[in-house]
Amino acid sequence: MTGSRKDKIILQNLTVSYEEKGGLFTALDDISFGVADGEFVSVIGSSGCGKSTLLSVLEGLLRPSGGSALIDGAPISGPGPDRGVVFQSYSLFPWMTARKNVAFGIKHARRELKRAEVYRIADEYLEKVGLSDSRGRYPSRLSGGMQQRVAIARALAMDTDILLMDEPFGAVDAKNRVQLQEMLLDLWGHEARRKTVVFITHDIDEAIFLSDRVVMLTESPGRVYRDIHVPFPRPRDRSGLLGSSVYVEFRRDVTALFFGDKTGETEDDWVKI
Amino acid sequence: MSPAKLSFRTRYVRTANLLFAIFLLIQFLPNRISKADAPGYAVGFAVIAEAALLCASALATKKTGLCLIADIAAFLYALLIAWTLATAKFNLTKEMLFPPPGIVFRQLAEDVPQLGRHIGSSLALIAQGYLLALAAALPLGLVLGYSARIGNAAAYVAKFLGAIPPVVYIPYGIALLPSFRSVSVLVIFLASFWPILAATMSGVLLVERRIVDSARVLNVGRLTMLFRIILSAALPQILIGCSQGLTVSFILLTSAEMIGARSGMGFYVKNYSDLGNYTRTIVGVLVVGIVISAVFFAFNKLQKFLLRWR
């Protein structure tokens, strides 16, 4: 999967290390994989494996110590209007209403738009995530799940090529999480032009249900442990999929791999489906 | 909630109303002072307060709000009762130093035009010095706080300069500047500048990195980052500094007016106590209290509005 020329995002031998008291700490070590245009890729790993560091590089907030991170063939030099980001929390500005938050994002991603148009799009996307009635509320008056809906509405409304999501449903309760996953998949699948998504999670079911590919990282330093193609066709129906025996089997294999990663072994003993 | 939801008992049967009745009753006790009292003014004042309380009782929609107003009224009546009893009725204090409430309120009513001028003079000075300080300290604090390197050095400098009580600049200011008014503006400026600067800088330093990151990934420009993101996020801290600055400004201004002014609330108090007119001295003290309370009431309303998102 590495380095195909037409990939939207390419990571080549990406290494990130920090100066620490005890010396140099390597968070990511020699990461290489690509994400094709319109592909939905999850990066999965236990906490502290550097998956959020990986996303920070793609967001342009963190410079690689070695190797390269390319978008459309050009190295990432900083945050850019081609990427929309959803964090686990604090994506929204607490002093702006839901509507204002979305509009603020649109205004900065699409500077050519007129004010009225910005608010029209904001309202349209708030409706898509089912929050038309709450658009005048401040984030402090919204539940965690609703806040993430607003953040997703903002990221989608910005109409960027790439969507970067850093455990967006990590702080949401189980029931809401399922609803949000389905909503995200539905919105993503119905866009005129599918966005390229990099989605960070530690939830195996979430990764499988959402993605075309799952990239599994080892623990410190983070290395690519497995790059797994998810074979299920879209559109995916949760209840149908989760009950099927292929899914159960696939999930069992992925889980075995995930928990087998104690030694950081990387030889290929995995039979691809 | 509709007004009907509060019971008659909650609305009208209150300690405040009882105290009001007691205050009216004690007027019938014989006077023990030689000077002519003017109880009508005290009663008039209490009646106005009671009318306001009854209006609030009739219109209130929330129990907590009504309770607060009623409790304040109760304190007021208790104070008036104690004051009347201690002066006019039992003559426990020196008549000359401590006149009964009626005489003080009469004096207050008579002096309204004069007091208005003094209040206006004080508030104009406060407004000039404070707004200048705000205009200077806020952008400076934002920039210094945001650029960590300069900010660290600046934090120590600000701590040192902020530790100097602004009152020590008064003599130097008098030597330096042509008029009392310009010295006052300078002192108020210095009194509010440091707290606002320090609060802005620490507010900026305390802004969550995740909020800054959220803004950075939205690709905002430098000015937007400073004034729409950092400023908003640091606003709760900044307002604490603004409130401190305002407090110190009033303390210093009233002190300064007592030392060298020909106008202002502090001058009114000092001038009349020098002349031995203690009725007016008390009037002045009351007015200072009322004006500063009113300013802070407005400030808190503004703060609540600015932080309505919390």
Side-chain angles (χ1 to χ4, degrees):
Chain A
M1 291 286 175
T2 310
S4 153
R5 275 286 144 79
K6 41 184 211 311
D7 278 351
K8 184 83 182 165
I9 302 172
I10 299 170
L11 301 178
Q12 267 170 344
N13 313 107
L14 176 72
T15 302
V16 175
S17 38
Y18 306 102
E19 292 279 2
E20 268 192 349
K21 264 182 231 154
L24 210 61
F25 169 75
T26 306
L28 292 174
D29 187 24
D30 199 23
I31 301 267
S32 296
F33 67 90
V35 182
D37 195 8
E39 196 178 20
F40 197 127
V41 172
S42 286
V43 177
I44 186 167
S46 35
S47 30
C49 73
K51 52 193 192 302
S52 289
T53 308
L54 177 73
L55 211 65
S56 297
V57 172
L58 294 178
E59 284 153 3
L61 296 178
L62 195 64
R63 281 183 185 278
S65 323
S68 55
L70 313 172
I71 290 178
D72 291 326
I76 297 169
S77 60
D82 53 344
R83 283 154 281 161
V85 179
V86 180
F87 294 109
Q88 180 172 350
S89 53
Y90 288 94
S91 291
L92 303 178
F93 302 114
W95 55 89
M96 294 182 195
T97 60
R99 186 169 189 245
K100 198 102 192 180
N101 260 295
V102 177
F104 187 82
I106 301 170
K107 202 165 67 192
H108 285 92
R110 302 161 74 180
R111 284 168 199 266
E112 72 285 357
L113 290 181
K114 291 229 164 55
R115 198 184 142 79
E117 184 67 0
V118 165
Y119 280 96
R120 191 195 60 72
I121 297 172
D123 290 342
E124 179 192 326
Y125 276 86
L126 282 168
E127 193 182 343
K128 282 189 181 182
V129 299
L131 285 179
S132 285
D133 295 341
S134 303
R135 64 184 194 184
R137 291 213 232 164
Y138 289 99
S140 59
R141 307 280 187 280
L142 298 171
S143 72
M146 289 161 105
Q147 289 182 19
Q148 290 310 82
R149 276 170 199 260
V150 178
I152 289 170
R154 179 170 74 187
L156 291 175
M158 286 163 65
D159 197 26
T160 54
D161 290 352
I162 297 172
L163 208 52
L164 304 172
M165 309 185 84
D166 191 355
E167 299 197 46
F169 311 141
V172 177
D173 65 81
K175 189 181 160 204
N176 258 302
R177 187 181 310 165
V178 168
Q179 286 173 351
L180 284 166
Q181 288 164 0
E182 281 172 353
M183 185 197 81
L184 174 66
L185 216 49
D186 187 49
L187 291 175
W188 176 74
H190 282 92
E191 292 273 321
R193 195 170 152 274
R194 279 195 184 174
K195 298 180 192 318
T196 310
V197 185
V198 179
F199 189 101
I200 306 286
T201 180
H202 57 254
D203 181 332
I204 295 173
D205 285 306
E206 183 169 83
I208 299 174
F209 177 63
L210 295 174
S211 326
D212 298 313
R213 271 165 59 212
V214 176
V215 174
M216 211 180 265
L217 297 187
T218 59
E219 266 174 78
S220 52
R223 293 197 179 96
V224 176
Y225 173 51
R226 283 295 187 283
D227 190 334
I228 308 156
H229 172 68
V230 180
F232 309 116
R234 295 181 189 274
R236 291 176 189 166
D237 162 52
R238 173 181 292 274
S239 48
L241 185 65
L242 263 61
S244 68
S245 57
V246 263
Y247 177 84
V248 173
E249 204 171 311
F250 183 76
R251 185 191 190 282
R252 194 182 56 218
D253 291 340
V254 174
T255 312
L257 269 178
F258 190 60
F259 289 104
D261 165 40
K262 289 283 185 269
T263 52
E265 39 114 26
T266 49
E267 76 262 23
D268 202 357
D269 55 356
W270 159 256
V271 185
K272 277 208 168 148
I273 300 174
Chain B
M1 209 192 277
S2 73
K5 277 215 172 172
L6 292 174
S7 67
F8 181 81
R9 208 191 136 102
T10 331
R11 280 181 191 285
Y12 300 106
V13 184
R14 293 200 156 274
T15 323
N17 303 60
L18 178 68
L19 287 170
F20 175 68
I22 292 174
F23 175 69
L24 293 183
L25 286 175
I26 61 167
Q27 302 301 326
F28 295 105
L29 292 172
N31 265 3
R32 292 256 184 95
I33 51 171
S34 51
K35 251 199 296 188
D37 191 8
Y41 281 93
V43 172
F45 175 76
V47 167
I48 292 171
E50 182 66 11
L53 174 63
L54 288 176
C55 279
S57 303
L59 298 173
T61 50
K62 274 186 248 156
K63 197 177 169 182
T64 47
L66 178 58
C67 283
L68 182 66
I69 294 171
D71 289 348
I72 291 171
F75 267 110
L76 195 68
Y77 297 144
L79 190 75
L80 280 176
I81 291 169
W83 187 357
T84 309
L85 291 177
T87 53
K89 303 305 173 188
F90 293 105
N91 200 10
L92 301 175
T93 57
K94 273 199 181 136
E95 262 175 71
M96 211 260 294
L97 285 174
F98 217 1
I103 291 179
V104 170
F105 286 124
R106 186 178 61 194
Q107 188 71 62
L108 178 63
E110 279 171 9
D111 278 1
V112 163
Q114 188 193 351
L115 282 166
R117 275 200 313 278
H118 289 301
I119 295 170
S121 153
S122 296
L123 290 184
L125 288 176
I126 291 270
Q128 287 173 49
Y130 189 74
L131 293 179
L132 273 176
L134 200 62
L138 211 60
L140 193 62
L142 278 179
V143 172
L144 290 179
Y146 192 53
S147 47
R149 270 189 57 120
I150 325 170
N152 281 336
Y156 288 104
V157 177
K159 258 185 199 145
F160 169 71
L161 290 170
I164 302 170
V167 68
V168 304
Y169 299 118
I170 294 180
Y172 188 48
I174 289 172
L176 203 64
L177 293 165
S179 68
F180 171 79
R181 298 192 72 83
S182 48
V183 177
S184 302
V185 171
L186 173 76
V187 170
I188 293 164
F189 175 84
L190 290 169
S192 2
F193 181 79
W194 296 114
I196 298 176
L197 181 72
T200 307
M201 282 173 54
S202 75
V204 171
L205 290 172
L206 285 173
V207 171
E208 289 249 13
R209 202 180 59 91
R210 289 180 291 187
I211 285 192
V212 179
D213 281 350
S214 282
R216 283 178 66 197
V217 298
L218 290 178
N219 226 14
V220 301
R222 204 173 280 260
L223 283 179
T224 311
M225 180 63 107
L226 269 185
F227 288 97
R228 300 241 5 229
I229 307 297
I230 303 283
L231 176 62
S232 303
L235 199 58
Q237 286 278 326
I238 293 173
L239 285 171
I240 294 174
C242 289
S243 156
Q244 280 174 357
L246 199 55
T247 311
V248 183
S249 295
F250 270 111
I251 294 173
L252 282 178
L253 179 67
T254 20
S255 318
E257 283 171 343
M258 287 179 151
I259 301 170
R262 303 300 307 158
S263 65
M265 298 186 290
F267 166 73
Y268 181 94
V269 171
K270 177 74 166 67
N271 186 38
Y272 284 115
S273 72
D274 284 350
L275 295 172
N277 186 337
Y278 295 109
T279 306
R280 279 181 151 147
T281 306
I282 295 176
V283 167
V285 170
L286 284 179
V287 165
V288 168
I290 293 166
V291 168
I292 295 181
S293 304
V295 169
F296 273 92
F297 180 79
F299 182 88
N300 289 338
K301 283 278 171 206
L302 179 68
Q303 173 164 330
K304 227 175 179 173
F305 172 75
L306 290 173
L307 300 181
R308 64 193 179 283
W309 45 272
R310 289 222 289 190

